[in-house]
Amino acid sequence: QQPVQSPQAVILREGEDAVINCSSSKALYSVHWYRQKHGEAPVFLMILLKGGEQKGHEKISASFNEKKQQSSLYLTASQLSYSGTYFCGTERRSGNTPLVFGKGTRLSVIA
Amino acid sequence: DVKVTQSSRYLVKRTGEKVFLECVQDMDHENMFWYRQDPGLGLRLIYFSYDVKMKEKGDIPEGYSVSREKKERFSLILESASTNQTSMYLCASSLGGTGFQETQYFGPGTRLLVL
């Protein structure tokens, strides 16, 4: 089952913050975040392997709450280059099955 | 730098035609994947392979088959293309050996239009 991402779309002004959520009805072993800019291939941002772990990439960080079966992506002081569609991918069983991706969150940063 | 290439960026085919989409990776990755991307539906896994000649169905395999005769090449085949297979097709690869937790590297995609 696909994880559920929210919101589906968000528009930000440069410098504003945003949070993208990814939740699953199944137990999560890891959560992966990817960004796809318009007309380009998805690009890896980060993997969260342990519950409660936070990781960062530039001014983008993420948390993983194993108990709540959800992950959140935090975009701080957004830049125009952050525009794109963000996908979370969840691992259904530890190491044995490929990721299931959510439907994506379209982020638009405007000047 | 990992490079995943796909044979065509755009493809136009007629209903009933047999269609081959080719994907090649140059990093000796064991895992390869085919996804379909449609607006509002995200990335959906069609087939994947974790070794040469090995293949596994993903979430939406109906109407598709795959072939992996060499490690670097993973082909997606539409036996008889239909209009509902009009979509963006993305290939990806990952290192393998430790399951599927590694980074996936995506190709640029093939936009297929079936008339």
Side-chain angles (χ1 to χ4, degrees), chain A residues 62-106:
Chain A
S63 64
F64 177 20
N65 189 318
E66 210 175 324
K67 267 189 179 176
K68 291 186 179 179
Q69 296 171 185
Q70 70 181 34
S71 175
S72 296
L73 190 72
Y74 306 96
L75 297 100
T76 306
S78 57
Q79 306 167 17
L80 294 174
S81 62
Y82 286 1
S83 292
T85 300
Y86 290 77
F87 293 99
C88 69
T90 56
E91 190 182 357
R92 284 170 272 198
R93 286 201 308 275
S94 180
N96 293 327
T97 56
L99 301 179
V100 185
F101 284 95
K103 294 182 179 180
T105 295
R106 178 175 286 183

Side-chain angles (χ1 to χ4, degrees), chain B:
Chain B
D1 256 4
V2 176
K3 199 165 184 186
V4 179
T5 55
Q6 295 183 228
S7 51
S8 308
R9 289 300 301 268
Y10 301 95
L11 213 50
V12 180
K13 296 292 180 181
R14 296 210 172 272
T15 302
E17 277 193 81
K18 191 168 186 175
V19 182
F20 293 87
L21 302 182
E22 303 284 336
C23 175
V24 178
Q25 50 92 4
D26 67 355
M27 282 300 291
D28 204 34
H29 282 177
E30 298 197 5
N31 298 334
M32 295 189 75
F33 310 85
W34 274 107
Y35 293 93
R36 175 177 169 158
Q37 184 175 23
D38 299 289
L41 297 179
L43 300 166
R44 293 181 294 166
L45 183 64
I46 305 172
Y47 267 96
F48 63 100
S49 168
Y50 53 88
D51 201 353
V52 176
K53 296 195 186 292
M54 305 301 289
K55 57 188 178 185
E56 295 282 346
K57 292 179 180 179
D59 298 311
I60 52 164
E62 296 79 19
Y64 303 95
S65 62
V66 290
S67 171
R68 193 165 180 202
E69 296 296 319
K70 292 186 177 181
K71 193 174 186 179
E72 67 271 18
R73 190 180 297 270
F74 193 34
S75 303
L76 180 69
I77 304 154
L78 287 68
E79 294 289 342
S80 178
S82 64
T83 54
N84 62 15
Q85 292 178 309
T86 290
S87 187
M88 170 69 88
Y89 290 88
L90 288 165
C91 175
S93 71
S94 68
L95 186 60
T98 58
F100 297 96
Q101 288 184 350
E102 312 96 355
T103 302
Q104 290 191 26
Y105 297 87
F106 285 84
T110 295
R111 190 168 291 281
L112 173 68
L113 172 62
V114 182
L115 299 174

Side-chain angles (χ1 to χ4, degrees), chain A residues 19-83:
Chain A
V19 180
I20 299 172
N21 297 304
C22 173
S23 63
S24 173
S25 58
K26 305 278 187 184
L28 296 179
Y29 292 88
S30 70
V31 179
H32 304 226
W33 286 97
Y34 286 77
R35 176 172 65 200
Q36 183 179 31
K37 297 193 177 185
H38 183 68
E40 298 181 9
V43 172
F44 169 78
L45 290 176
M46 65 191 78
I47 295 176
L48 297 110
L49 296 175
K50 295 178 185 178
E53 184 178 6
Q54 277 196 285
K55 283 206 166 187
H57 172 84
E58 300 170 345
K59 288 184 180 176
I60 301 172
S61 61
S63 64
F64 177 20
N65 189 318
E66 210 175 324
K67 267 189 179 176
K68 291 186 179 179
Q69 296 171 185
Q70 70 181 34
S71 175
S72 296
L73 190 72
Y74 306 96
L75 297 100
T76 306
S78 57
Q79 306 167 17
L80 294 174
S81 62
Y82 286 1
S83 292

